[in-house]
Amino acid sequence: MKLKNIFKLLAVAGTLALPTTSCSDWLDVKMSDKIMENTLFSTNNGFMTALNGVYMGMIDVYAEDLSLGVIDVMAQYYNMVNGNHNYKVFANYQFNDDAFKNKSNSIWTKMYALVANINGLLVHCDEENSALREEYYPIVKGEALALRAMIHFDLLRLYGPSYNENTKSTLTIPYQNEAKRDITPLRSAEYVLERVIEDLEEAARLLKDNDPVFTTGVGNAVTSDDGLERADFTYRQLRLNYFAVQTLLARAYLWKGDKATAYRIAKEEVIGKNMVDENKMIFPWTTPAQVEADDKNDLLFSSEVFFAIYNSSRSKVNSSYFVSALQLTSRLTFIGSNPSNSQIPVFYDDPDNDWRASLAWAVYTTTEDSKKDDDDDDDDNDDEKVDANSSLYFLKYADAGREAELDGTETYLYMIPLIRLSEAYLIAAECAATPEEALEYLVAIREHRNCHMPIMATSSDEVRELVTREFAREVIGEGQLFFYYKRLNLTTFLSGSEIGGTYEMLTDNYKWPLPDVEVDKRGSTNN
């Protein structure tokens, strides 16, 4: 069965899962809904329907807003055209603007609706005489706990402060970890983070000896001899598998400031366990053949992705944000007119070789002469001939537009990556005891990006700068850079609207205000 067909079935399953509601409305559950819930969990398939429904529901938030959309705009990746861009509200952190308020209300409501569904699933997992089969239990419960932790963690990273000893007692969000229909109080950043870590550690324990990823790899096949039904636990990159959970756990400990634990997890549980032997990895580095294949460039480095959202409409998302047909006031793109006169040589230190630059960016020209020049492969000075009105466009997600030409098995056509192998290396580099060790992890990433430019660091500050630059290159279009800046509470970083310029960040802008939908529900006490 092809990937696309499998997920057509999952999409149907998702529509049968528990009804989605807002954080407040989910308290008002009708008796008929409760009956439907009990009916759903009366069979093993019902548990899978509910779990798949959560994954499908994540598309509404993670396929755009918390990956390649507004959260990356807020990281100042892109040129905002002197403030006239359609996304300027988010680039300028205009929290009181209706566009931002509506977006925030939507994200909050959808994420807590997913949490409500997860909590219902978890309750039924542990019921006496549960219909969930024994061999399914650790995987279903492990994934559900990890999903609950991930969603709460991202809510904390949005609405909580930059975490430190002075801010950890700040009230942030509710941690909804029970299925009972009570309004829960806002919790401190420390409380929420501890619950996130508890859920992830329990998820890792459940998945450690049971995740099919250890026996079938990513499992892009549907044969099974371990009692698991066909397709239920295949495509482990599209579910919160053991490696995704451990990377999330390292991410959470790093947010807490516990570098020693983050380092141990990244090195031992992720990097170490991913190496089956010196010649084999469960999630292998992407090869030159995969990246450079004619008309099938895998610019996601998809074999390295631990967890991604599956979005069958990714081509539409790409068309909404990145394609050359969009006006510059609508397109998310680097500033500049061509690879030489743009942000590219600032952002990438080896732009002619680094696949993340050389294959991921193209030039849109506006005149026939410039198009002709751009197509002349024998002319080494094409960049100088590009029309002054030319501009860049991003190709990372452009593959989905050619799915009809392919055979339907290329997973990367529908993926929005959220957790990847290189993050573990970056965490290990940031937390390494010496600059020499940090460089080993950074060079490992760069070698698999075709980077030939040597790097050096002799101090922790120099390591931090290298990690920051490499992190930004790795996760563009994946929604993590804003949170990286926030974790470090950086006040200056690279500006997207000035070639080589610096953005001066007000640290108050890292914290989203609670959305109106939550403030209105709680009233003036706001607790």
Side-chain angles (χ1 to χ4, degrees):
M1 185 182 295
K2 291 184 177 181
L3 169 72
K4 198 167 185 179
N5 292 333
I6 289 174
F7 274 87
K8 281 181 180 177
L9 296 177
L10 296 187
V12 174
T15 64
L16 299 176
L18 299 179
T20 56
T21 60
S22 71
C23 185
S24 55
D25 292 342
W26 80 285
L27 303 174
D28 303 320
V29 177
K30 298 178 182 178
M31 183 59 67
S32 59
D33 292 333
K34 190 66 177 176
I35 293 171
M36 287 177 61
E37 178 183 327
N38 291 333
T39 301
L40 178 67
F41 292 112
S42 65
T43 67
N44 190 77
N45 285 342
F47 280 89
M48 294 308 302
T49 295
L51 183 60
N52 292 335
V54 174
Y55 282 112
M56 298 305 295
M58 292 176 76
I59 293 173
D60 289 341
V61 206
Y62 286 96
E64 295 185 46
D65 293 336
L66 295 189
S67 57
L68 53 83
V70 298
I71 200 67
D72 262 8
V73 168
M74 296 179 79
Q76 304 299 326
Y77 270 119
Y78 304 115
N79 180 21
M80 289 291 108
V81 198
N82 299 320
N84 295 321
H85 202 281
N86 290 352
Y87 294 96
K88 66 180 181 180
V89 166
F90 305 100
N92 296 334
Y93 315 103
Q94 295 174 239
F95 298 131
N96 290 323
D97 190 279
D98 286 343
F100 179 87
K101 288 184 175 183
N102 291 338
K103 182 66 69 178
S104 180
N105 283 337
S106 174
I107 290 172
W108 179 278
T109 299
K110 290 174 181 177
M111 292 178 82
Y112 273 108
L114 291 171
V115 168
N117 290 349
I118 294 167
N119 285 334
L121 169 62
L122 286 167
V123 166
H124 288 280
C125 280
D126 289 316
E127 282 183 330
E128 187 176 358
N129 300 319
S130 170
L132 184 62
R133 285 160 48 181
E134 181 179 358
E135 61 271 23
Y136 274 63
Y137 175 85
I139 307 174
V140 170
K141 185 174 181 180
E143 288 185 26
L145 286 168
L147 285 164
R148 183 171 73 183
M150 178 179 178
I151 292 169
H152 276 109
F153 187 39
D154 284 342
L155 284 163
L156 174 65
R157 294 198 296 173
L158 285 171
Y159 296 97
S162 298
Y163 192 94
N164 56 50
E165 285 298 314
N166 295 325
T167 64
K168 67 182 185 180
S169 61
T170 304
L171 291 181
T172 57
I173 64 170
Y175 198 89
Q176 190 67 48
N177 59 356
E178 296 181 355
K180 63 183 182 180
R181 311 296 177 175
D182 293 335
I183 295 177
T184 56
L186 299 179
R187 299 292 190 178
S188 69
E190 181 179 31
Y191 178 94
V192 173
L193 187 56
E194 289 301 323
R195 301 295 82 73
V196 166
I197 289 172
E198 286 176 4
D199 275 352
L200 289 172
E201 288 182 335
E202 176 64 7
R205 185 190 68 79
L206 289 164
L207 292 168
K208 182 176 182 180
D209 297 320
N210 299 285
D211 195 329
V213 76
F214 290 110
T215 54
T216 64
V218 296
N220 294 352
V222 293
T223 56
S224 177
D225 58 4
D226 55 7
L228 304 177
E229 298 293 339
R230 290 165 60 85
D232 277 351
F233 295 105
T234 54
Y235 294 95
R236 296 302 293 161
Q237 290 176 293
L238 305 178
R239 311 184 80 90
L240 279 176
N241 61 74
Y242 179 82
F243 290 94
V245 170
Q246 288 287 14
T247 307
L248 271 176
L249 188 55
R251 190 186 282 178
Y253 272 112
L254 199 54
W255 189 263
K256 185 180 179 181
D258 186 346
K259 284 190 170 184
T261 304
Y263 173 79
R264 178 188 61 77
I265 293 170
K267 181 178 180 180
E268 298 176 8
E269 298 300 327
V270 183
I271 297 172
K273 283 187 168 57
N274 187 49
M275 294 291 299
V276 178
D277 57 48
E278 61 181 11
N279 297 313
K280 183 179 180 182
M281 303 171 76
I282 295 174
F283 291 86
W285 294 105
T286 300
T287 66
Q290 290 170 298
V291 178
E292 297 174 344
D294 290 342
D295 297 323
K296 294 173 65 172
N297 311 108
D298 183 358
L299 300 179
L300 298 186
F301 312 118
S302 65
S303 63
E304 309 166 21
V305 174
F306 288 156
F307 177 56
I309 292 299
Y310 174 86
N311 184 8
S312 61
S313 299
R314 203 187 74 182
S315 60
K316 295 180 181 178
V317 174
N318 181 64
S319 297
S320 298
Y321 289 91
F322 300 117
V323 297
S324 59
L326 292 170
Q327 297 294 317
L328 284 177
T329 51
S330 300
R331 192 191 318 164
L332 298 186
T333 186
F334 277 3
I335 189 172
S337 59
N338 63 75
S340 297
N341 180 30
S342 72
Q343 191 79 313
I344 288 178
V346 176
F347 192 76
Y348 306 96
D349 59 6
D350 191 10
D352 292 335
N353 296 301
D354 190 336
W355 291 320
R356 296 168 298 187
S358 61
L359 294 177
W361 290 94
V363 178
Y364 172 66
T365 57
T366 57
T367 69
E368 290 301 320
D369 289 341
S370 59
K371 290 178 183 178
K372 180 179 178 181
D373 289 334
D374 196 40
D375 290 338
D376 185 1
D377 295 334
D378 297 326
D379 193 332
D380 294 332
N381 299 312
D382 281 347
D383 287 344
E384 298 177 4
K385 295 184 178 182
V386 173
D387 186 85
N389 293 321
S390 299
S391 57
L392 300 170
Y393 62 103
F394 193 40
L395 298 173
K396 187 170 187 174
Y397 292 111
D399 295 313
R402 292 180 286 99
E403 57 218 64
E405 303 171 23
L406 305 175
D407 63 12
T409 62
E410 290 85 358
T411 311
Y412 66 85
L413 291 178
Y414 312 101
M415 291 168 64
I416 306 288
L418 298 178
I419 308 171
R420 57 170 61 248
L421 172 64
S422 57
E423 182 177 353
Y425 281 75
L426 288 162
I427 290 172
E430 182 177 344
C431 302
T434 66
E436 291 76 17
E437 183 187 5
L439 286 174
E440 291 178 8
Y441 290 112
L442 292 171
V443 168
I445 297 172
R446 291 170 62 83
E447 285 180 346
H448 294 94
R449 300 295 179 259
N450 201 41
C451 290
H452 305 312
M453 185 72 66
I455 56 174
M456 295 180 61
T458 58
S459 68
S460 58
D461 287 344
E462 290 174 346
V463 167
R464 170 66 56 79
E465 179 65 19
L466 289 174
V467 170
T468 300
R469 291 302 186 100
E470 213 63 54
F471 192 90
R473 296 166 190 147
E474 278 294 289
V475 301
I476 184 171
E478 299 177 17
Q480 296 302 319
L481 186 61
F482 176 79
F483 296 129
Y484 176 90
Y485 289 157
K486 179 173 181 173
R487 173 169 61 81
L488 299 176
N489 210 29
L490 294 184
T491 56
T492 60
F493 46 79
L494 192 63
S495 170
S497 296
E498 178 186 359
I499 296 177
T502 299
Y503 188 86
E504 302 295 328
M505 182 66 165
L506 299 176
T507 55
D508 286 348
N509 288 337
Y510 282 125
K511 184 176 181 292
W512 289 24
L514 278 181
D516 289 346
V517 68
E518 187 68 14
V519 173
D520 292 345
K521 180 189 72 175
R522 293 178 180 274
S524 59
T525 57
N526 199 29
N527 57 33

